[in-house]
Amino acid sequence: MTTQATTPRDSPAASPALPTARGPLSESVLAVLAGDGTRLPRLPAADAVRRSYPYGDDLQLLLYVLYELHYRGFAGVDERLEWDPALLGVRAAAEGVFLDALRRDAGPGGRDVARAVDDLQLEPVGDDGRSVSHHLRREGELWQLREYAAVRSLYHLKEADPHLWVVPRLRGRAKAGMVAVEFDEFGAGRAENIHAQLFADLMTDLGLDTRYGRYLDAAPAQALAVVNMMSLFGLHRRLRGALVGHFATVEITSSPGSRRLAEALRRVGAGPAAQRFYDEHVEADAVHEQVVRHEVIGGLLEDEPGLAADVVLGIEATGHLEDLLGDHLLAAWREGRSALRIPLTP
């Protein structure tokens, strides 16, 4: 059932290798993806998935690899497995666990979108002790910035891709505003300015491997959860409001955080390409913030006011998972140890 590789493994366009399992659930799914069709391993039962820890390595890796079938897939894995009914059934059970946890843990919820967006625009006075960008700007070392870039590469090398899934589900002002922002994310028609390429250039300046998916095995579960949330919201039409809420959070909070990260990179002497990625986001996302608030959110809720609670969910879920990731990174770094499952080589 495998397909033949047509792209050299070291090419940036190549599909990544399958990762290493992190528990019995992900092990079962990876065995199916790696199978040759002569013997189909048994997939985990739905009740076993439902008993798993929603933010843990095993469930999050299971979701990540199944979602990745909708992006670039994996080397040697049959592309027809993207829509395999058995795998989709396992994914649905895992999604239920993850989404239930987000609804329970992310925040108070409600339908007050204006207040939720206003809260995003309030920068804390000083550092509240949970901000990765404050830490990196003030005292972050080069090895910590390299780890941060490796972790973020799981998203930034596919930056904006999860958000495109919502475009066919919008209309009018919301669709026009979303596409306008995405046009910038994809380089405004210039391949060298695609934000994923700018991040690859940043990684090169930091001495990191720019191959897509290269740091999947090293990334902690908290980083997988952030990317999985985007895929979850993007792939389900019923969660289009949550995707818009997530998108708003990213665009509205990006500019001040990017400014701090650009300053951190300058302080440690990173190259100009590394600095450019965040400098670009300082300027672009300050403009995007207004488009997202007034056109994307405003247009969506004008058409579908019943989606207000889902927009709030997307905002709160993004903050919740970013806090979990930030707490993990900072706890490790303050103890002088790597936050990665597999530390980077110098």
Side-chain angles (χ1 to χ4, degrees), residues 36-326:
D36 60 8
T38 59
R39 181 179 64 85
L40 188 65
R42 178 174 296 179
L43 285 165
D47 59 342
V49 176
R50 285 191 286 267
R51 291 194 301 269
S52 60
Y53 177 55
Y55 307 120
D57 277 299
D58 199 16
L59 184 86
Q60 290 301 325
L61 182 61
L62 178 155
L63 277 172
Y64 192 96
V65 296
L66 292 178
Y67 285 143
E68 190 58 39
L69 298 178
H70 297 294
Y71 293 100
R72 294 198 196 176
F74 294 97
V77 172
D78 191 327
E79 294 183 350
R80 290 172 295 182
L81 290 175
E82 178 182 4
W83 299 109
D84 180 81
L87 289 173
L88 291 175
V90 173
R91 197 188 85 186
E95 287 176 330
V97 172
F98 188 32
L99 186 56
D100 285 349
L102 292 177
R103 293 190 186 280
R104 180 187 67 235
D105 302 334
R111 297 176 51 83
D112 192 343
V113 175
R115 179 175 179 178
V117 174
D118 286 343
D119 288 346
L120 292 176
Q121 296 176 306
L122 295 175
E123 274 277 286
V125 178
D127 182 4
D128 63 1
R130 300 186 74 181
S131 169
V132 172
S133 63
H134 275 97
H135 168 84
L136 291 174
R137 180 184 64 174
R138 183 181 63 251
E139 59 187 286
E141 301 178 35
L142 179 59
W143 68 271
Q144 295 171 346
L145 282 157
R146 293 180 77 238
E147 288 200 347
Y148 185 73
V151 163
R152 288 300 193 186
S153 70
L154 296 185
Y155 164 55
H156 283 309
L157 292 182
K158 62 162 62 88
E159 184 167 355
D161 290 349
H163 303 141
L164 278 181
W165 278 316
V166 81
V167 172
R169 295 151 184 177
L170 304 176
R171 63 176 298 278
R173 288 168 52 209
K175 176 174 284 192
M178 191 80 186
V179 171
V181 174
E182 291 289 86
F183 180 67
D184 287 345
E185 300 289 341
F186 286 105
R190 298 184 64 88
E192 68 273 19
N193 291 333
I194 293 174
H195 285 189
Q197 180 59 53
L198 297 183
F199 194 81
D201 296 341
L202 173 150
M203 296 175 72
T204 297
D205 265 5
L206 292 175
L208 296 171
D209 191 332
T210 63
R211 286 177 295 173
Y212 181 90
R214 166 63 178 81
Y215 295 105
L216 175 54
D217 275 330
Q222 295 88 344
L224 304 188
V226 171
V227 183
N228 286 339
M229 174 193 60
M230 291 185 278
S231 299
L232 170 65
F233 291 165
L235 282 166
H236 291 273
R237 182 180 179 277
R238 66 188 175 91
L239 295 173
R240 61 195 179 279
L243 190 283
V244 166
H246 155 73
F247 185 69
T249 306
V250 171
E251 296 298 328
I252 290 172
T253 62
S254 172
S255 187
S258 293
R259 181 177 294 107
R260 289 189 287 269
L261 290 168
E263 292 172 4
L265 288 163
R266 290 189 180 91
R267 183 174 55 77
V268 300
Q275 299 166 31
R276 184 191 175 196
F277 176 81
Y278 288 111
D279 284 337
E280 173 76 14
H281 282 71
V282 170
E283 180 178 348
D285 290 345
V287 176
H288 293 171
E289 170 190 327
Q290 297 302 315
V291 177
V292 170
R293 175 164 190 157
H294 297 292
E295 301 304 317
V296 181
I297 294 179
L300 175 70
L301 295 182
E302 183 179 272
D303 283 344
E304 301 185 272
L307 295 181
D310 284 343
V311 175
V312 173
L313 170 66
I315 292 170
E316 292 181 341
T318 304
H320 172 59
L321 293 183
E322 288 289 351
D323 283 346
L324 293 181
L325 175 59

